[in-house]
């Protein structure tokens, strides 16, 4: 997997707009974000858009007299990188203590537990876990 940069909370907010509405101009992004939070400053949003392009999360292409932004990385790629980073930093890369912590803290409903069981019993869950363990071993972790 290619290197995915760490996103700050505000960068996540900007990227959610880009993922959901691309291609989107800076002005459209600013309008959307300032509707959600009137304290968002247009120059700050432009700075974040430029940073997201520079770090490779987003693209910028000319659209008439303006530039349009689009995602270079998917939301899933960024979420996977953030999850792996969190798991490594907080739980030493081990899934078991993380799941135990979340179950104790948030006490999932029966429906949520059944859904988790279906996910854990599925082939997709097992193959991803194996890939992650292999990737960690290969990187010397």
């Amino acid at each position: 997997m290619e290197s995915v940069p760490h996103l700050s909370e505000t960068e996540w907010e900007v990227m959610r707009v880009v993922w959901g509405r691309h291609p989107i101009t800076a002005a459209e992004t600013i309008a959307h974000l300032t509707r959600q939070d009137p304290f968002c400053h247009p120059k700050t949003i432009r700075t974040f858009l430029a940073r997201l392009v520079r770090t490779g999360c987003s693209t910028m292409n000319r659209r008439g007299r303006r530039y349009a932004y689009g995602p270079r990385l998917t939301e899933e790629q960024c979420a996977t990188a953030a999850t792996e980073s969190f798991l490594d930093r907080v739980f030493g890369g081990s899934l078991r203590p993380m799941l135990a912590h979340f179950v104790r803290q948030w006490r999932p409903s029966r429906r949520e537990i059944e859904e988790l069981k279906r996910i854990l019993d599925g082939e997709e869950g097992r193959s991803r876990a194996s890939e992650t363990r292999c990737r960690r071993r290969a990187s010397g972790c």
Side-chain angles (χ1 to χ4, degrees):
M1 184 168 103
E2 69 181 285
S3 177
V4 177
H6 170 78
L7 297 179
S8 70
E9 193 64 35
T10 306
E11 287 170 324
W12 274 101
E13 292 302 315
V14 173
M15 280 306 298
R16 283 187 184 105
V17 174
V18 172
W19 283 315
R21 299 173 181 269
H22 68 87
I24 187 168
T25 65
E28 292 166 336
T29 305
I30 290 165
H32 182 78
L33 289 170
T34 55
R35 271 194 307 275
Q36 288 180 342
D37 182 358
F39 294 106
C40 281
H41 194 279
K43 284 187 179 183
T44 304
I45 296 169
R46 287 182 190 280
T47 299
F48 277 110
L49 285 167
R51 185 184 307 168
L52 289 163
V53 169
R54 193 172 52 252
T55 60
C57 289
S58 181
T59 61
M60 180 178 73
N61 297 300
R62 198 159 185 73
R63 190 168 103 184
R65 292 180 9 185
R66 298 177 181 202
Y67 288 96
Y69 295 86
R72 184 171 167 276
L73 300 173
T74 66
E75 189 170 3
E76 183 175 344
Q77 285 174 298
C78 292
T80 298
T83 303
E84 286 178 0
S85 172
F86 173 78
L87 185 63
D88 288 341
R89 283 181 292 112
V90 179
F91 295 98
S94 181
L95 187 59
R96 188 179 163 283
M98 183 189 80
L99 288 174
H101 171 78
F102 283 116
V103 167
R104 282 193 302 270
Q105 285 297 119
W106 283 280
R107 306 202 192 284
S109 68
R110 286 190 191 279
R111 193 173 116 226
E112 290 170 321
I113 290 170
E114 290 304 316
E115 186 176 341
L116 287 171
K117 284 179 182 177
R118 281 193 300 276
I119 291 168
L120 291 171
D121 288 341
E123 283 300 312
E124 181 181 342
R126 276 189 288 240
S127 65
R128 281 190 192 207
S130 297
E131 287 175 23
T132 301
R133 280 192 296 275
C134 291
R135 211 172 28 247
R136 283 202 187 104
R137 274 192 229 116
S139 68
C141 294

